[in-house]
Amino acid sequence: AQQAVGIDAIQNFLVYILDESGIRSRSVQSAILIGLGLIKLVVIFIAGHYFDKKGRRPLFFLSLAGMSISLFIVSFGFLGNVKSEGLAVFGLA
């Protein structure tokens, strides 16, 4: 289920999301996609380290809080007449 609603789903539709947020340049979209992939790689190593020390439950709640904040930022970026490409990209990262 995580594959269907997690970061992988965001990465699959990232080009369309960036188009809707006003970022039309393919080179900028590619750079954002690569940056998001690098952030994902770093977070996987950090989470793997803390998973052994802290356990599953604290990391779950930390992840839940991070996802909630990110979705709020992205939704605020698409709200009304606000044209902020930075909010959408920052929320996705």
Side-chain angles (χ1 to χ4, degrees), residues 1-66:
Q2 182 182 8
Q3 299 298 321
V5 297
I7 188 66
D8 296 319
I10 295 292
Q11 284 181 320
N12 278 339
F13 295 104
L14 185 61
V15 174
Y16 303 111
I17 293 169
L18 293 174
D19 273 340
E20 288 297 318
S21 68
I23 301 173
R24 304 259 190 254
S25 169
R26 293 292 179 199
S27 61
V28 173
Q29 290 176 350
S30 296
I32 292 170
L33 186 59
I34 290 169
L36 189 61
L38 290 174
I39 290 171
K40 180 181 173 183
L41 180 67
V42 169
V43 169
I44 286 172
F45 281 110
I46 292 171
H49 175 72
Y50 282 114
F51 185 75
D52 291 336
K53 291 187 175 197
K54 301 289 183 185
R56 186 175 298 210
R57 188 173 172 90
L59 288 179
F60 170 74
F61 286 119
L62 183 64
S63 174
L64 181 65

